[in-house]
Amino acid sequence: MGARLALESSAARLVGRLSRAAGRGGGTTLPGKLVWKLDPGALELLAGRLPQGVVLVSATNGKTTTTAIASSILGSAYRLAWNNSGANLASGVTSTLLAADGAELGLLEVDEFALPEMMRRTRPRAVCLGNLFRDQLDRYGELEHIAERWRDAVAELPPETTLVANADDPLVATLPEGRDRVVLFGVDDPRRARPALQHASDSKYCVRCGHPYRYDAAYVAHLGAYRCEMCGHARPALDVAAREIEPDGLDGVSFVLHASSGSARVRLAVPGLYNVYNALAAASLALSLGIALDDVAAGIGRFSAAFGRFERFAVPDRSVLLVLIKNPAGANEAIRTLEDGGVPPTLVVALNDRIADGRDVSWIWDVDFEPLLERADRIVVSGERAAELALRFTYAGFPLERLELVAGLEDALDRGLELTPAGGELAVLPTYTAMLELRAIATTRGLTRPYWEDDDA
Amino acid sequence: MILRVGHLYPEYLNIYADRGNIAVLTRRAEARGHELTVEPVTLETALVSGAHDLLYIGGGQDREQAMIAPDLAERAGAIRESVEGGAALLAVCGGYQLLGRGYRGRDGSWLEGVGLFPHETVAGDTRMIGDVLLESTLPEGRGRTIAGFENHAGRTVLDDGAEALGRVVAGYGNDGSSGFEGCRVRRAVGTYLHGPLLPRNPWLADLMLSWAVAHGTGDEPEPLAALGDELETQAHAVAAERARRRGGRPA
């Protein structure tokens, strides 16, 4: 690192500490924004100084959890520069690389819109592409446009970059075509398939000819074993697969991780098929970096939860299960997982509409909340757009007298806890900024650690 | 009575929570003792003019819209005859564009529309995205406002003398410059507003239902019995505030 960059780096790190000291949140993007201003070329230099290079992880859903699982696996082999705070735009990534003196490998979660630029600038050793779902159309635009941007960026990658991609997502699976170094992962357990595609499924028409796919097994929204009866386009062969999946209520799930080097049963401490996909993505990424299968399995076993994603914290006599919801596909899987594991009788659902949540709240109507509504006794709706949630639930037939609208998140949390019997669990389903606020409340009450605490550790 | 709804291409055009609009129509009909039956009208099904009291068409992504556009154009006669015959129709976003005379792409291509609404749409360079608030210009909606969310690249230009749905208070509207949004022909309403449209604008849902009932009975439309609508009013107020504070501004 040049003298100029070193000086800028220490100045920027100081800003991060000052920002935290001033109580302005985690200070996780501010140092990066500062360096950005000082030296827009810093990202290339910072990425270039990591001896083991950089790996990038992106997806509409699960990138934070995938990266967290990958860190659990890779953390015992390398010193990581990992943006565990979820700051996944260029400024946040720059901050992470700045803060990680002495790191060997960059493990970077990247926003799907920022991915093409990050791919060009960091010359990654591997890129892990999880899935593409309809998400925040007001911010990201249509699905196909994101896929095109990814496709263009993949075409520019150096040949030595490994592409790790989800074979079960038709749009994603076609991205690595024609490349030499590819690892394709997917689920292979038809017992766990859904009977039908969900309402909000996205890529259900053949990417080649437009004919509707036939699914031999649909696992999560449009992810599954698909084939086109018109032109023959089908899910490619899997290099890494999850088989014999066994759910364990809301506590986790186990499966057999099958790779070319062998098989191992792994246990994951977060529930749900979509988390099996996240674990598969992380495992495939680690395997592509040369980590042994047993070490991969052990790393998955050590993982607990990424912040706000099926994260549990204890309050006196009760527990709270925090489940982020942010788009139809992700929310549907969270709900399906709650349904399979047992829906707690009291729920708090919180909808904000800031930029990070999506200003357009229409997506809540595309979420299949119905399984929750059939099972919940009481629902507290909260957040800045609580009334929209109340309409969503009452027009679905949930009785008005069992619904409460409590605008403030802290009050809503307390009301939810009040309605939860001693020894019981309260499920809280917030959108992104509501999740951050709820987690901050939990931190203030000493129930959980702040998310930036690892930064200076 | 039984109200027959024809939902056009539900598996292709459903991008902005269109089923929310259907859910609102269903519940509000039920609250007045009517039963709504919803029939999907899609690539393989026939559309018989006059067979439905209300037709609904939503919006899709570009790819899905291109897939159904030729099929829709073949049904132009049946759709126009239905509306001529007094059926209600609600078209949102992409469906609103497709029911006009046509759509001019950025490459100059022309996609033939249904020709129900007197307008043409031209693809723009930028998307018009944000919260919207309208002041209704429908005679049936005097003094009412409509709150929603818009996200469209197409600029829809109404013919001279065409009737809009409302005047833009905040947001872009049809083309970002005319100051008007939506279009109305007889009992057909087209708009860019989703969010979805009907949950937070219940009076418009009731107007559509009263038209559907009128089509069924053959009588003149009668206002429906009022419902409480406390949550709807609250949601409308928040959405309207958003539009005033952060909606797009007509150029």
Side-chain angles (χ1 to χ4, degrees):
Chain A
M1 174 163 69
R4 183 157 154 247
L5 185 62
L7 191 66
E8 288 164 0
S9 302
S10 47
R13 274 198 294 275
L14 183 65
V15 169
R17 295 209 185 91
L18 286 174
S19 163
R20 279 192 291 280
R24 294 170 60 113
T28 49
T29 61
L30 201 52
K33 280 181 183 154
L34 186 71
V35 166
W36 205 245
K37 281 254 157 69
L38 292 173
D39 184 357
L43 182 57
E44 284 86 342
L45 289 169
L46 290 167
R49 70 177 180 165
L50 291 161
Q52 294 291 330
V54 162
V55 296
L56 306 179
V57 176
S58 196
T60 308
N61 286 330
K63 51 191 175 289
T64 300
T65 299
T66 298
T67 314
I69 298 172
S71 89
S72 177
I73 303 170
L74 297 170
S76 48
Y78 304 109
R79 283 192 302 278
L80 298 175
W82 164 37
N83 54 340
N84 60 334
S85 58
N88 60 17
L89 300 172
S91 54
V93 167
T94 307
S95 290
T96 297
L97 296 179
L98 270 174
D101 265 338
E104 296 165 313
L105 177 73
L107 171 62
L108 301 171
E109 169 195 336
V110 183
D111 173 86
E112 51 272 40
F113 207 73
L115 182 67
E117 187 194 350
M118 295 298 295
M119 280 162 76
R120 276 188 285 270
R121 301 189 60 187
T122 62
R123 295 183 64 84
R125 194 170 150 191
V127 179
C128 178
L129 305 175
N131 52 63
L132 280 172
F133 292 108
R134 188 192 290 197
D135 181 27
Q136 297 185 24
L137 295 154
D138 55 319
R139 178 167 157 219
Y140 293 112
E142 298 184 358
L143 201 58
E144 308 267 339
H145 298 164
I146 293 272
E148 273 167 41
R149 286 168 49 92
W150 281 18
R151 194 179 304 280
D152 293 346
V154 166
E156 288 176 35
L157 281 174
E160 58 273 20
T161 301
T162 304
L163 254 276
V164 178
N166 189 343
D168 290 5
D169 187 327
L171 214 46
V172 171
T174 59
L175 295 174
E177 280 175 3
R179 296 187 64 85
D180 291 336
R181 303 175 65 102
V182 177
V183 178
L184 292 170
F185 64 87
V187 169
D188 183 17
D189 190 350
R191 296 175 309 150
R192 303 292 167 203
R194 299 293 269 179
L197 280 183
Q198 281 160 336
H199 164 77
S201 291
D202 298 308
S203 303
K204 53 192 171 184
Y205 303 105
C206 178
V207 294
R208 297 231 194 292
C209 74
H211 193 74
Y213 280 121
R214 191 183 161 86
Y215 275 81
D216 295 325
Y219 295 109
V220 169
H222 66 264
L223 307 184
Y226 50 88
R227 61 191 158 86
C228 173
E229 289 177 327
M230 190 66 89
C231 76
H233 180 249
R235 174 172 80 163
L238 305 178
D239 301 309
V240 180
R243 296 178 181 162
E244 297 172 51
I245 299 167
E246 300 300 335
D248 177 18
L250 288 178
D251 294 326
V253 56
S254 81
F255 60 94
V256 172
L257 177 65
H258 184 85
S260 58
S261 55
S263 299
R265 180 157 283 279
V266 297
R267 179 154 197 310
L268 181 66
V270 286
L273 257 188
Y274 68 123
N275 281 318
V276 172
Y277 273 106
N278 293 333
L280 265 178
S284 304
L285 178 64
L287 289 167
S288 82
L289 297 177
I291 307 291
L293 184 67
D294 286 347
D295 294 334
V296 170
I300 294 174
R302 282 192 299 272
F303 170 77
S304 51
F307 73 98
R309 281 89 171 170
F310 273 92
E311 188 185 23
R312 197 171 257 132
F313 47 89
V315 294
D317 306 324
R318 290 162 183 79
S319 62
V320 175
L321 186 62
L322 197 56
V323 184
L324 171 71
I325 54 170
K326 57 176 195 170
N327 54 36
N332 282 343
E333 288 316 306
I335 288 164
R336 173 185 174 187
T337 304
L338 285 170
E339 186 188 352
D340 291 345
V343 176
T346 310
L347 304 170
V348 174
V349 188
L351 176 65
N352 279 354
D353 66 348
R354 299 178 209 174
I355 288 173
D357 304 292
R359 291 182 160 184
D360 179 359
V361 296
S362 59
W363 64 274
I364 62 168
W365 293 84
D366 283 326
V367 176
D368 295 322
F369 281 107
E370 279 66 11
L372 291 186
L373 305 181
E374 285 159 19
R375 290 166 180 78
D377 291 336
R378 303 287 285 263
I379 300 182
V380 178
V381 292
S382 184
E384 290 151 358
R385 302 301 288 269
E388 302 274 345
L389 275 177
L391 290 177
R392 170 69 184 89
F393 296 162
T394 50
Y395 274 108
F398 193 77
L400 194 55
E401 59 275 14
R402 282 161 45 199
L403 185 86
E404 292 181 36
L405 196 159
V406 182
L409 290 174
E410 185 152 20
D411 293 343
L413 178 65
D414 286 333
R415 180 61 184 145
L417 286 170
E418 205 172 275
L419 291 167
T420 305
E425 182 155 79
L426 170 70
V428 180
L429 287 73
T431 58
Y432 190 74
T433 67
M435 185 272 284
L436 293 183
E437 197 182 323
L438 283 161
R439 235 182 150 274
I441 293 163
T443 303
T444 307
R445 295 183 180 182
L447 307 172
T448 182
R449 291 164 42 154
Y451 67 87
W452 61 84
E453 203 168 278
D454 293 337
D455 277 13
D456 287 335
Chain B
M1 64 181 291
I2 290 182
L3 298 174
R4 301 155 302 168
V5 172
H7 187 171
L8 288 150
Y9 313 105
E11 74 280 43
Y12 291 88
L13 306 182
N14 58 24
I15 194 169
Y16 293 121
D18 294 287
R19 73 174 173 175
N21 288 328
I22 301 289
V24 169
L25 291 171
T26 303
R27 288 271 162 193
R28 297 184 77 84
E30 218 173 75
R32 276 64 169 250
H34 302 303
E35 188 194 337
L36 212 75
T37 60
V38 182
E39 183 207 351
V41 178
T42 187
L43 296 180
E44 296 84 25
T45 32
L47 176 62
V48 179
S49 70
H52 300 98
D53 302 308
L54 190 152
L55 290 170
Y56 182 86
I57 180 165
Q61 305 203 58
D62 292 348
R63 186 161 188 252
E64 274 86 18
Q65 281 181 201
M67 284 176 178
I68 59 93
D71 185 82
L72 180 66
E74 280 177 31
R75 300 165 191 271
I79 292 171
R80 288 203 305 257
E81 280 164 35
S82 295
V83 173
E84 285 301 311
L89 180 148
L90 179 60
V92 175
C93 207
Y96 170 48
Q97 294 175 344
L98 292 167
L99 292 194
R101 271 196 303 279
Y103 187 94
R104 179 79 62 196
R106 286 172 69 177
D107 54 359
S109 60
W110 176 251
L111 190 65
E112 186 72 24
V114 165
L116 170 70
F117 294 119
H119 67 60
E120 288 183 15
T121 301
V122 184
D125 294 332
T126 53
R127 293 191 78 83
M128 299 193 275
I129 303 174
D131 299 275
V132 197
L133 182 65
L134 310 178
E135 220 169 62
S136 170
T137 47
L138 301 180
E140 299 91 335
R142 201 156 286 144
R144 304 277 198 174
T145 52
I146 304 169
F149 198 94
E150 63 186 325
N151 184 348
H152 53 108
R155 272 68 170 161
T156 296
V157 179
L158 303 187
D159 290 356
D160 285 345
E163 189 183 347
L165 171 63
R167 193 188 317 277
V168 177
V169 178
Y172 295 98
N174 276 335
D175 54 4
S177 58
S178 68
F180 287 94
E181 207 290 325
C183 191
R184 186 263 181 94
V185 171
R186 299 177 63 92
R187 292 171 182 162
V189 166
T191 177
Y192 277 116
L193 270 60
H194 63 269
L197 174 71
L198 297 181
R200 52 178 96 145
N201 300 294
W203 70 268
L204 190 57
D206 286 353
L207 178 61
M208 303 295 315
L209 282 174
S210 73
W211 286 343
V213 171
H215 180 263
T217 59
D219 299 332
E220 283 304 299
E222 296 277 347
L224 304 182
L227 302 175
D229 290 342
E230 273 173 45
L231 290 169
E232 288 83 348
T233 306
Q234 211 173 327
H236 180 95
V238 177
E241 181 276 331
R242 289 292 190 276
R244 287 199 174 92
R245 184 158 58 81
R246 68 185 192 190
R249 293 283 174 275

